[in-house]
Amino acid sequence: MKVYTKTGDKGQTSLVGGQRVSKCCERLESYGTVDELNSHIGVLITYCTDTADRDFLLNVQGRLFVAGGYLATDNSQKDIREGNVMTAGMVAEMEQEIDRLQEALPKLRLFILPGGCRAAAYAHVCRTACRRAERCILRLAETGAAVDENLTAYMNRLSDYFFVLARKLNKDAGVADTTWVRK
């Protein structure tokens, strides 16, 4: 199988089910941005030394493939595959991980600037890419496309997770969070 098909040379691509759409449409923008986030997570994993963090991030990468499959299917034209549906359990799993990480962190009293150790700084890159992906998905919903509430909830929690993970990574590295000071 060749990697290149030449079918997208004129700015069109196929969704799951074969429907041809512009590469600039909101649906493509949403799942393309989720894919970009997934690539950022791949880089973040290379900076993480804690096995539990790496394992959870690998799990997140799998969940983002689920999201991508969902977003690549125009559910007004084709039924969503069961394996491409985010569940309330996936959202709850994310919330539990956020709570687990946050228990070991000092109480947040000031705004934190992105940065710290390399892993934490990259977790902040993932956080902002996640927020952008979330906005793209919400724009898709605003076009009238059906977007599952569990997907939007998961993306919202995921960006919170990256914030808490960044703080945890700084703590693990013995690096203080950089707080914002109004001047």
Side-chain angles (χ1 to χ4, degrees):
M1 179 177 159
K2 290 186 178 184
V3 172
Y4 60 90
T5 63
K6 301 181 184 181
T7 60
D9 291 354
K10 294 191 170 130
Q12 298 276 307
T13 193
S14 295
L15 298 177
V16 172
Q19 179 187 0
R20 300 290 292 173
V21 296
S22 167
K23 288 184 176 183
C24 298
C25 76
E26 293 294 338
R27 184 170 298 285
L28 267 285
E29 190 67 30
S30 66
Y31 75 74
T33 307
V34 167
D35 186 39
E36 180 184 346
L37 169 60
N38 214 339
S39 295
H40 283 300
I41 294 169
V43 175
L44 176 58
I45 289 170
T46 69
Y47 296 134
C48 290
T49 57
D50 184 294
T51 302
D53 292 337
R54 285 195 313 267
D55 289 346
F56 192 81
L57 288 166
L58 284 168
N59 177 276
V60 168
Q61 285 188 302
R63 300 288 193 232
L64 291 180
F65 261 79
V66 169
Y70 177 89
L71 293 165
T73 306
D74 181 347
N75 53 14
S76 71
Q77 304 287 319
K78 179 165 178 53
D79 290 337
I80 302 290
R81 292 182 185 146
E82 188 176 323
N84 287 342
V85 176
M86 299 297 270
T87 66
M90 293 173 185
V91 176
E93 177 185 75
M94 181 61 65
E95 290 171 349
Q96 289 168 1
E97 182 65 5
I98 292 168
D99 292 344
R100 184 185 76 78
L101 295 178
Q102 205 160 9
E103 284 176 8
L105 296 173
K107 210 168 189 93
L108 189 60
R109 301 196 186 288
L110 299 167
F111 287 107
I112 301 222
L113 297 174
C117 70
R118 187 176 306 233
Y122 214 82
H124 281 292
V125 170
C126 291
R127 176 183 57 79
T128 58
C130 186
R131 286 287 188 210
R132 185 162 38 86
E134 180 185 13
R135 290 190 303 272
C136 289
I137 294 166
L138 293 172
R139 273 195 299 280
L140 174 63
E142 287 178 355
T143 69
V147 175
D148 185 80
E149 291 177 0
N150 288 321
L151 173 57
T152 55
Y154 186 87
M155 296 303 290
N156 190 301
R157 299 306 179 287
L158 182 56
S159 59
D160 295 336
Y161 163 77
F162 285 122
F163 178 78
V164 174
L165 178 63
R167 294 191 67 218
K168 186 251 188 209
L169 292 168
N170 272 337
K171 181 180 180 225
D172 288 352
V175 176
D177 288 320
T178 305
T179 55
W180 177 66
V181 179
R182 187 182 307 263
K183 294 185 181 199

